[in-house]
Amino acid sequence: MTLVSARDLVSAASAAGTGIGAFNVIHLETAEGLVRAAALAQLPVILQISQNCADYHGGLEPIALATLAVARRAETPVAVHLDHAERPELVDEAVALGFGSVMFDGGALPYDENVALTAAVVERAHAAGVYVEGELGEVGGKDGAHAPGVRTDPDEARQFVAATGVDALAVAVGSSHAMTDRTASLDLDLIRRLHQTLPVPLVLHGSSGVADEVIADAVRAGMTKINVSTHLNGFFTRAVREKLAADEGLVDSRKYLAPAREALAQEAARLLRLFALAS
């Protein structure tokens, strides 16, 4: 069994000055493809289930239990993490299901409310031995840490970490969610300042829109946990389209999901090596 906590993976990467890939699960084929990617790269991976994903499946439990089962059978260390939970009760459910880490996303809330809710989540999660990621953009930032132009202030971030007790912090440094082109420009100087200021690892959300060389520079500047979803979804979906276009009579979904799963695995393995500064 190789199911581990994100605490172990993020802490090891932070100590080594490298990055760790955290990739979003959409369905069972994604989870299987990401675990295969870790085996191909011979590197650990974090499998993330978002609040949106849980809602898509009608609740967290079905996709969570499937993902945890896949992780337990992996050849390399795999963590299962709750991503972007805006409902505290979803965090509590993830802890009860056996997640080793969770992210409570109060980034769109007024600062004081974000602090209060995050601190309460951290207290309960820590009592269960669960690692907690928080998010901070700017005071009152209604669209959270990844709205255009939002940047995390290092001094405010230090205060937030001290007030909440989070173990890792998602910060706003120029990336944005759901980008399909890789043109985002990251503020590397800000990443360095945040890394020097904060006692916890930094998390980059919206990494699908960031080019390879910029992500590598961000890791060298102090970014540790690198989240990717949309970019990998594109590889999966394009493979499905290609397979269906080549055979209009195909009706067995396994025949097009298998190559899509493999396409995702190959690209995810490449990203794991990139983030680990191994390629």
Side-chain angles (χ1 to χ4, degrees):
M1 292 173 60
T2 54
L3 179 65
V4 301
S5 171
R7 179 190 306 276
D8 300 332
L9 304 186
V10 175
S11 298
S14 179
T18 59
I20 174 73
F23 303 144
N24 282 64
V25 170
I26 307 299
H27 35 57
L28 180 58
E29 285 77 15
T30 319
E32 292 170 341
L34 295 176
V35 167
R36 171 159 166 73
L40 289 170
Q42 285 298 291
L43 289 166
V45 69
I46 299 171
L47 307 187
Q48 304 194 139
I49 299 174
S50 71
Q51 178 175 299
N52 287 339
C53 177
D55 291 346
Y56 169 79
H57 288 282
L60 179 60
E61 186 175 18
I63 188 64
L65 294 181
T67 301
L68 287 163
V70 171
R72 289 189 181 102
R73 296 181 59 188
E75 298 176 14
T76 56
V78 176
V80 177
H81 172 79
L82 179 67
D83 185 39
H84 277 294
E86 298 177 358
R87 303 191 297 265
E89 61 271 20
L90 188 63
V91 173
D92 294 337
E93 183 180 1
V95 171
L97 286 169
F99 283 53
S101 63
V102 297
M103 179 203 180
F104 177 69
D105 181 2
L109 299 172
Y111 179 80
D112 289 344
E113 189 175 351
N114 187 4
V115 168
L117 281 176
T118 302
V121 166
V122 168
E123 184 177 9
R124 294 196 302 276
H126 280 181
V130 172
Y131 187 84
V132 182
E133 176 185 330
E135 177 165 312
L136 182 66
E138 65 178 0
V139 174
K142 66 178 182 178
D143 295 319
H146 307 291
V150 172
R151 297 291 184 272
T152 299
D153 176 79
D155 291 332
E156 182 181 275
R158 183 179 62 248
Q159 295 169 8
F160 180 83
V161 170
T164 61
V166 294
D167 302 294
L169 188 66
V171 292
V173 293
S175 58
S176 183
H177 286 122
M179 289 184 65
T180 55
D181 56 3
R182 307 182 77 194
T183 58
S185 178
L186 299 185
D187 189 334
L188 297 175
D189 287 338
L190 177 57
I191 293 172
R192 293 186 189 95
R193 289 171 57 208
L194 288 164
H195 178 59
Q196 292 165 0
T197 301
L198 299 181
V200 298
L202 304 179
V203 181
L204 182 66
H205 285 240
S207 306
S208 291
V210 185
D212 284 0
E213 61 273 16
V214 180
I215 290 180
D217 286 342
V219 171
R220 295 186 184 99
M223 197 63 70
T224 300
K225 179 171 173 278
I226 313 297
N227 290 16
V228 180
S229 182
T230 301
H231 176 74
L232 292 173
N233 291 344
F235 278 80
F236 189 97
T237 302
R238 283 190 293 273
V240 170
R241 286 197 179 106
E242 290 171 6
K243 190 68 175 178
L244 291 176
D247 185 356
E248 293 184 359
L250 188 59
V251 295
D252 184 344
S253 60
R254 293 171 297 183
K255 300 295 185 181
Y256 54 83
L257 291 178
R261 181 178 59 191
E262 182 62 19
L264 178 145
Q266 293 292 333
E267 177 62 7
R270 189 189 72 81
L271 291 179
L272 288 174
R273 290 189 288 265
L274 172 71
F275 301 163
L277 304 180
S279 65

